[in-house]
Amino acid sequence: MADFDITSPTMDGIASHGTKVGLARVLGPAHVWALGVGIVLVGEYMGWNFAVGKGGAYAALIACWFAGILYSCVAMIDSEVTSTVAAAGGQYTQAKHIVGPLMAFNVGLYLVFAYTMLEAGNAITLGYLISEAARMTAGVTDLDQRPFIILSIMFLAWLNFRGVLATLTFNLVITAFAFCAILVLFFASAPWSADSPLAHAELMSGQAALPYGWIGVLAAMHFGLWFYLGIEGTTQAAEEVRSPARSLPFGTLAGIMTLLIAATLTWYICVGFLPWEYLGDGVNGAVAPLFSAAQMTGSNFLIIVLGVGTLFATLASANGCINDASRAWFSMGRDHYLPQWFGAVHPKYRTPYRSIIFLVPIALIFALGAPLDQVITFSILSGLLGYTFMPINIILFRRKWPLDTIKRGYVHPFHPIPAIVLLALCSLTYFAVFLGYGTQLIAMVSFYIVVSLWFHFWRYRFVKRADQFTMPWPKPKGY
Amino acid sequence: MARYTPPPQSKIGQMIDVIVLLILSIGALYIPLWLGLAGSAKTPLTADNPTWESLGQNPTMVERWNQLGFADPASAHDMITARFDYSFTWGAMALMVVVIAGYFALMLRLSEKEYREVIDEKFERR
């Protein structure tokens, strides 16, 4: 007989005193906040500025705020489902229980590719930063970045192989440093002073205001997502938080607010220092825009602080990405969605070591061979497909298990408005990606169609049916 | 309902599955790049002897370009004039909508079929 009752306040399976769901519940809302912000903050240090390139400075700001609304909907929906699906695997596990195995397989791939490409983008930025440091300190102008890219990915994979628990606190510290570095640059720029080096009015006048007109605002939404991409990773901690009902909504929504502040400050600083054409070219121009802005101040102190901030942000993010991507890959291996060889845990370090090692060459291939904007687009598209899944997920969740059938840790308000808004903003973003990057969009979705057919007609035969449904829920309505 | 028992998969079969996934995922990004079909190609305008004025740059912008190491208008010309081409055909737009909507429709339909098997087996054994 089951030793839990999903409707019981003391044996509900979602609280620390709950039951069945296995890992130690030691994390609080601050940890959830730090997990989310740690992975995402690098988005302020690199990548977001492609939004400036696609639409100009004002367009990037509008995109930043609309993307903020999109992610607020993501956080609300995710918080409700995750506070009930209190199991590791995040959206992958949600899809498995609510929509079906094929959707879960796709969601697992979205997670793996969004995080692996983000990791590759981090490594590219790190390589650039080291080459800039060599140029500024030793006058070396043609430093080969590739060894540093390879070394950084290998080193972080090794850390993850050995177990990331010991590095978690260090990760939190370097994330906090990276956030404070943005504040330091903002206050050092003294925007309230008449002598401030920020020159928004002059740099955004004339054609620089909206160089592409309003279609540029739409197009900028593509890279607007980069300000927040990965915040949904907080759900990976669902099984390890003391109280999912409180910690997940609070930590995730506080993370969104932190990122909104950081994103707006970042935009304000960078567009006040750099011409939009330079800022918007993240390949030949501002690869690391906050670092470039610090260089414009001429202050060695600020250059070092923002250089270290960029370095820390990329390392913290890449570390988190390896962790999350490998766990998603591992979970799919464990469920036999992928060859079960990936479902192995290292006997000594207790890590999904085969998944960690397998994803290293994929990250390297993209980090060494593709331009930064392509890598970021690949990551954004995987994330975007995942966000499109969420409205479907919450609508089916409420339909199959109405509010009175399963106790939720958190019930998001105004249903189905957040789902509809999210779906509308996702549609808008598909159009934004289509403007300028339509081939990648088609190629990416075609890839997911082909792997879906591969999974349904070939791979799924190796999967046990009933074993996939592990939550202590009643039978869904309509089945 | 009889419980479904999956067939065992050989090690070689597992390796082939991994290779297939690798080829598909790497191909999804690299094929557009190799074929030169990837977007993001911003095209600079052509101009002989550009000046800061002809490039639409005011004195503050010029000062910032100089600080960034672009000492003359010619060196910054390509970066300043490069623009995306946002023109599109309705046919291409329709193709995008069909591919994305078709993908989700296909996935939901096949998922539903698999999900019913899961629920049937899970709850009929209780």
Side-chain angles (χ1 to χ4, degrees):
Chain A
M1 187 176 174
D3 53 355
F4 50 72
D5 171 7
I6 197 70
T7 58
S8 161
T10 54
M11 300 290 284
D12 57 11
I14 62 169
S16 53
H17 50 267
T19 52
K20 250 335 215 203
V21 199
L23 298 177
R25 295 185 179 277
V26 293
L27 304 178
H31 295 98
V32 176
W33 172 88
L35 280 171
V37 176
I39 287 180
V40 184
L41 193 64
V42 73
E44 330 303 359
Y45 277 91
M46 63 94 170
W48 69 271
N49 49 313
F50 287 111
V52 177
K54 281 196 86 174
Y58 284 124
L61 183 64
I62 296 168
C64 164
W65 288 342
F66 269 92
I69 296 171
L70 184 151
Y71 278 90
S72 298
C73 295
V74 165
M76 287 167 75
I77 291 170
D78 225 22
S79 294
E80 175 172 332
V81 186
T82 307
S83 72
T84 314
V85 185
Q91 292 83 10
Y92 163 73
T93 310
Q94 296 175 16
K96 206 169 58 171
H97 288 86
I98 297 168
V99 186
L102 178 61
M103 183 84 236
F105 174 70
N106 277 266
V107 170
L109 288 184
Y110 301 157
L111 291 170
V112 169
F113 284 113
Y115 286 123
T116 305
M117 293 305 108
L118 176 51
E119 175 197 343
N122 287 327
I124 292 171
T125 308
L126 190 138
Y128 160 79
L129 200 66
I130 289 172
S131 72
E132 269 298 284
R135 184 186 65 76
M136 291 166 67
T137 55
V140 179
T141 54
D142 56 351
L143 185 77
D144 189 349
Q145 297 177 16
R146 287 174 298 183
F148 300 100
I149 290 172
I150 294 169
L151 275 176
S152 62
I153 289 178
M154 299 285 278
F155 171 70
L156 292 173
W158 175 77
L159 268 186
N160 274 271
F161 184 96
R162 295 289 301 260
V164 287
L165 196 59
T167 61
L168 182 63
T169 306
F170 178 65
N171 242 28
L172 298 189
V173 171
I174 62 179
T175 300
F177 181 93
F179 182 72
C180 291
I182 298 174
L183 296 179
V184 167
L185 183 57
F186 176 75
F187 286 111
S189 308
W192 56 85
S193 159
D195 298 329
S196 171
L198 297 170
H200 294 91
E202 294 81 0
L203 291 176
M204 294 164 69
S205 65
Q207 56 86 36
L210 276 178
Y212 291 95
W214 286 102
I215 198 164
V217 176
L218 269 177
M221 189 69 184
H222 169 187
F223 288 106
L225 262 59
W226 198 245
F227 280 111
Y228 315 93
L229 194 123
I231 187 71
E232 69 278 10
T234 52
T235 59
Q236 300 291 335
E239 210 170 314
E240 291 143 286
V241 290
R242 283 192 296 271
S243 170
R246 190 173 72 94
S247 301
L248 288 171
F250 183 83
T252 308
L253 291 168
I256 284 281
M257 284 182 239
T258 308
L259 292 170
L260 265 168
I261 293 168
T264 307
L265 288 180
T266 298
W267 176 90
Y268 185 82
I269 295 165
C270 291
V271 302
F273 272 115
L274 301 163
W276 79 270
E277 299 95 333
Y278 183 85
L279 179 60
D281 190 337
V283 176
N284 302 306
V287 177
L290 280 165
F291 180 64
S292 297
Q295 286 176 300
M296 297 295 279
T297 65
S299 158
N300 284 335
F301 170 74
L302 289 174
I303 292 171
I304 291 169
V305 168
L306 269 298
V308 174
T310 308
L311 186 71
F312 281 2
T314 53
L315 285 175
S317 175
N319 207 16
C321 287
I322 294 173
N323 181 73
D324 284 0
S326 61
R327 265 113 191 118
W329 196 259
F330 161 78
S331 300
M332 289 197 287
R334 195 174 51 180
D335 290 338
H336 293 200
Y337 283 20
L338 294 172
Q340 62 265 36
W341 187 78
F342 292 114
V345 175
H346 193 279
K348 184 176 174 188
Y349 302 120
R350 317 289 295 174
T351 52
Y353 66 113
R354 288 177 182 166
S355 299
I356 292 169
I357 294 169
F358 176 76
L359 293 173
V360 165
I362 295 182
L364 282 175
I365 286 168
F366 288 104
L368 294 171
L372 185 59
D373 61 335
Q374 305 287 343
V375 169
I376 288 176
T377 296
F378 209 60
S379 180
I380 286 174
L381 275 173
S382 290
L384 183 59
L385 289 166
Y387 307 143
T388 311
F389 144 77
M390 287 180 185
I392 301 168
N393 193 38
I394 189 70
I395 287 167
L396 289 177
F397 185 50
R398 291 272 182 120
R399 191 183 294 166
K400 292 177 181 178
W401 291 278
L403 290 179
D404 57 347
T405 56
I406 291 185
K407 182 187 172 192
R408 269 83 163 159
Y410 167 79
V411 178
H412 84 266
F414 311 122
H415 178 78
I417 293 172
I420 294 167
V421 171
L422 178 54
L423 203 55
L425 288 172
C426 284
S427 305
L428 195 75
T429 311
Y430 282 116
F431 181 65
V433 177
F434 171 71
L435 295 172
Y437 293 77
T439 315
Q440 285 91 328
L441 177 60
I442 301 290
M444 186 91 184
V445 179
S446 302
F447 159 73
Y448 280 112
I449 290 173
V450 172
V451 292
S452 293
L453 294 172
W454 174 81
F455 177 83
H456 182 76
F457 291 108
W458 168 251
R459 185 68 224 168
Y460 191 58
R461 73 187 60 189
F462 300 109
V463 180
K464 291 178 180 170
R465 304 305 195 240
D467 289 8
Q468 298 171 73
F469 199 100
T470 53
M471 295 308 295
W473 292 350
K475 193 175 181 180
K477 266 195 167 181
Y479 288 83
Chain B
M1 182 186 173
R3 187 173 188 182
Y4 174 74
T5 308
Q9 192 182 23
S10 67
K11 286 213 166 96
I12 292 175
Q14 292 187 44
M15 279 177 66
I16 291 171
D17 278 1
V18 171
I19 291 166
V20 166
L21 265 180
L22 262 179
I23 291 170
L24 287 174
S25 53
I26 292 168
L29 181 67
Y30 275 96
I31 287 173
L33 285 174
W34 285 331
L35 297 178
L37 296 172
S40 87
K42 291 199 281 188
T43 317
L45 298 173
T46 51
D48 296 327
N49 303 318
T51 62
W52 289 118
E53 289 73 24
S54 70
L55 293 174
Q57 304 298 296
N58 62 35
T60 305
M61 294 169 179
V62 174
E63 175 211 322
R64 299 295 160 104
W65 283 112
N66 291 338
Q67 250 184 298
L68 288 165
F70 296 87
D72 57 84
S75 60
H77 169 267
D78 283 0
M79 196 175 281
I80 290 173
T81 61
R83 292 287 186 277
F84 284 103
D85 178 7
Y86 288 151
S87 60
F88 63 90
T89 63
W90 289 104
M93 171 89 170
L95 176 68
M96 179 196 73
V97 172
V98 166
V99 169
I100 295 171
Y103 163 63
F104 276 102
L106 172 86
M107 196 167 45
L108 287 173
R109 191 180 169 84
L110 297 180
S111 279
E112 177 67 14
K113 197 179 161 203
E114 295 167 351
Y115 189 72
R116 284 193 177 275
E117 287 175 13
V118 171
I119 298 301
D120 286 349
E121 196 177 290
K122 171 81 182 176
F123 289 93
E124 282 190 15
R125 285 194 293 116
R126 281 192 161 182

